Amino acid sequence: MEHYVIHGGNPLSGEVEIAGAKNAALGILAASIMADEAVTIENVPDVSDIRVLVQAIKSIGADVQHPDRHTYIINGAGIQDLPVDNEYVRRIRGSYYMIGALLGKYKRAQVALPGGCNIGLRPIDQHIKGFRALGADVSLESRGLVRAEAEELTGAHIYMDVVSVGATINIVMAASLAKGTTIIENAAKEPHVVDLANFLNSMGARIKGAGTDVIRIKGVDHLHGTEYAIIPDQIEAGTYMFAAAATKGDVTITNVIPKHLESLSAKLIEIGCEIEESDDALRVVASKRLGHTNVKTLPYPGFPTDMQPQIAVLLGLANGTSIVTESIFENRFKYVDELIKMGANITVESNTAIVTGVEQYHGAVIDAPDLRAGAALVTAALAAKGLSQVFNIHFIERGYEDFPEKLRSLGGEIVKVDTREEEENAKRTFLRRAQ
Ligand code: UD1
């Protein structure tokens, strides 16, 4: 079975280039079908979530070209088969962006979302509230099928009850092709909300205020073609920053927007790392054992929930006891049991993890429970003494381009194996090198 074999203990050092932002790309690729002309999107990360969404976009009749690894040219003029319900769209949550895009353009959408229980855990009530405010009839049917339909979409004043990235992006898309002005209050301010708004504006939309909590959208009649490059991935960059810190390394992370990483840099500085910033790069140096701190996940510009497992891994090696509070998703400590197998001292009480630092983790056989926690556990294995095996790596491949290759270029000993023979070879090579 595919998994990573990791031999820990090497401080990561060198330079690593960050790919385009997966979460921005999901929204932007979906929004590209709103134009009736070719739209060129560059700096798209080559990760499995994106490949799945592209298949879903193809499956409804859009013309998709892929001239190089990171560029897509999408033309939505030929879209005929509106209901989006196939094996692709049901595989990723990001496919809910097809609802806003199709509703905006065709005034009707029918999109199947990943299974019922996932929707239960991650509700879409704010998306639905927004579509309804714009005048759509929306129903949530069995097997996660969402239907939305409107004679006409009309601008509205919408107050979001919770700060939701997905709902903000979906409403911005639909409102871009509505009649009149929409105002979204308590909007999400994440960098990928801003990127999506910039992208739509480059197609002729009239969106102001993205990046603040009030977004104003003046509806336009149609959107035209464009060429657009996606921003660098904030969470991929953060993962390498924290991996550098966990392994007491010295890593320069290039193709980043340091402003997007401020909440992460601030925590790293607070616990004793050195950070050097330039226009589009950031160097993280960790030469000594790190100190403890408390952290609470919050919407941007707060500390991102997607980095919560990574900071817990780091604080698990720090001097003293830290408290990590998860305030966005209720069930995001599933990795803790795996980390305990590596020697961590962590107890979880409801949405809080109490993390008492240990001197070192030791290698173990572990399962990645989800995308970000999977990456965090790889970081722990790179910092650990001895050999680890990380299974369920399809989660990690959803959002990290060339993860083992990039880590290897920094001196990390990690290899993806499939067969028993490959596994044994990798272990032998790592152990021989260690002698
Ligand atoms: C996006 C990101 C995900 C990140 C999350 C928070 C994508 C594809 N995924 O997810 O990686 O972890 O932002 O930064 O961009 N909520 C509701 N009702 C709704 C919508 C959300 O109650 O209709 C709640 C959620 O349960 C959660 C909070 O709002 O507690 C934030 O969720 P949201 O920002 O919508 O996350 P996603 O957009 O799904």
Side-chain angles (χ1 to χ4, degrees):
M1 197 194 298
E2 279 194 344
H3 66 280
Y4 295 146
V5 176
I6 299 168
H7 183 248
N10 286 358
L12 296 185
S13 76
E15 201 173 292
V16 63
E17 187 177 340
I18 297 308
K22 169 185 82 85
N23 288 346
L26 288 172
I28 286 173
L29 287 167
S32 68
I33 62 150
M34 295 170 73
D36 272 330
E37 294 170 345
V39 171
T40 301
I41 307 164
E42 293 166 354
N43 205 31
V44 180
D46 184 15
V47 296
S48 69
D49 268 15
I50 297 295
R51 290 191 287 269
V52 172
L53 183 68
V54 166
Q55 287 305 327
I57 290 171
K58 273 188 191 165
S59 74
I60 57 170
D63 180 53
V64 179
Q65 292 171 39
H66 191 23
D68 65 56
R69 189 178 183 199
H70 296 121
T71 305
Y72 285 92
I73 303 171
I74 297 179
N75 191 332
I79 291 178
Q80 284 161 354
D81 194 11
L82 274 183
V84 192
D85 180 1
N86 54 47
E87 55 164 323
Y88 301 112
V89 78
R90 281 188 182 272
R91 263 194 251 155
I92 56 162
R93 203 173 320 273
S95 46
Y96 56 34
Y97 291 138
M98 300 296 287
I99 311 174
L102 289 169
L103 182 65
K105 188 173 179 200
Y106 297 102
K107 312 303 172 225
R108 67 195 173 95
Q110 191 179 313
V111 178
L113 298 182
C117 97
N118 285 334
I119 290 172
L121 285 174
R122 289 172 75 168
I124 59 160
D125 56 304
Q126 298 303 307
H127 305 234
I128 293 175
K129 173 177 156 166
F131 296 144
R132 286 192 177 137
L134 296 174
D137 279 334
V138 187
S139 56
L140 190 54
E141 300 181 2
S142 62
R143 297 188 67 238
L145 193 72
V146 182
R147 270 179 216 276
E149 208 165 343
E151 282 285 309
E152 189 172 81
L153 293 176
T154 316
H157 198 140
I158 301 165
Y159 192 95
M160 314 281 289
D161 301 314
V162 295
V163 179
S164 161
V165 174
T168 302
I169 288 181
N170 243 335
I171 297 167
V172 166
M173 286 198 279
S176 290
L177 288 172
K179 292 237 168 322
T181 299
T182 297
I183 299 172
I184 307 174
E185 306 233 27
N186 201 24
K189 297 182 282 213
E190 267 69 1
H192 41 299
V193 173
V194 179
D195 210 32
L196 181 275
N198 288 341
F199 169 71
L200 285 171
N201 283 343
S202 78
M203 294 203 292
R206 297 176 68 190
I207 303 160
K208 283 191 174 159
T212 75
D213 48 19
V214 183
I215 302 181
R216 284 188 170 72
I217 307 129
K218 274 195 183 162
V220 297
D221 289 338
H222 74 278
L223 297 171
H224 54 71
T226 186
E227 283 182 22
Y228 193 83
I230 286 173
I231 52 166
D233 197 300
Q234 174 204 21
I235 305 299
E236 190 199 11
T239 301
Y240 288 103
M241 289 167 72
F242 282 40
T247 60
K248 298 202 180 72
D250 178 349
V251 175
T252 299
I253 297 139
T254 63
N255 186 34
V256 298
I257 299 175
K259 174 121 192 74
H260 294 167
L261 304 170
E262 271 174 0
S263 65
L264 308 177
S265 302
K267 275 292 159 201
L268 289 179
I269 291 168
E270 192 184 321
I271 60 178
C273 294
E274 286 164 48
I275 306 265
E276 273 173 33
E277 251 181 53
S278 61
D279 283 353
D280 63 355
L282 201 142
R283 178 178 173 205
V284 178
V285 185
S287 44
K288 55 181 192 292
R289 190 168 181 203
L290 300 173
H292 62 100
T293 187
N294 297 336
V295 60
K296 182 176 182 181
T297 61
L298 288 168
Y300 189 84
F303 190 92
T305 172
D306 284 358
M307 287 298 297
Q308 183 261 100
Q310 286 92 321
I311 197 160
V313 163
L314 198 52
L315 295 174
L317 293 168
N319 195 1
T321 298
S322 306
I323 294 175
V324 178
T325 306
E326 172 57 57
S327 82
I328 310 287
F329 292 111
E330 66 283 345
N331 188 16
R332 220 172 175 172
F333 287 121
K334 281 186 286 180
Y335 63 90
V336 166
D337 286 344
E338 303 303 294
L339 205 51
I340 288 172
K341 287 186 198 162
M342 303 179 82
N345 182 355
I346 305 182
T347 51
V348 175
E349 282 168 26
S350 121
N351 68 339
T352 300
I354 300 151
V355 185
T356 301
V358 295
E359 284 278 344
Q360 193 165 33
Y361 296 136
H362 52 76
V365 177
I366 46 184
D367 285 324
D370 59 56
L371 164 61
R372 302 305 174 184
L377 290 169
V378 168
T379 305
L382 288 167
K385 188 172 165 53
L387 280 172
S388 293
Q389 286 167 260
V390 179
F391 286 85
N392 282 342
I393 58 172
H394 62 95
F395 283 123
I396 300 172
E397 291 175 346
R398 284 182 40 207
Y400 289 88
E401 183 178 299
D402 296 340
F403 198 39
E405 290 81 3
K406 285 184 180 182
L407 289 167
R408 272 204 301 276
S409 77
L410 297 172
E413 293 191 302
I414 171 170
V415 62
K416 178 173 161 177
V417 297
D418 194 0
T419 63
R420 187 76 203 204
E421 196 188 343
E422 286 171 358
E423 178 190 321
E424 292 306 326
N425 280 342
K427 286 180 178 169
R428 258 198 307 276
T429 310
F430 288 152
L431 291 179
R432 206 179 309 126
R433 259 190 237 158
Q435 276 163 8

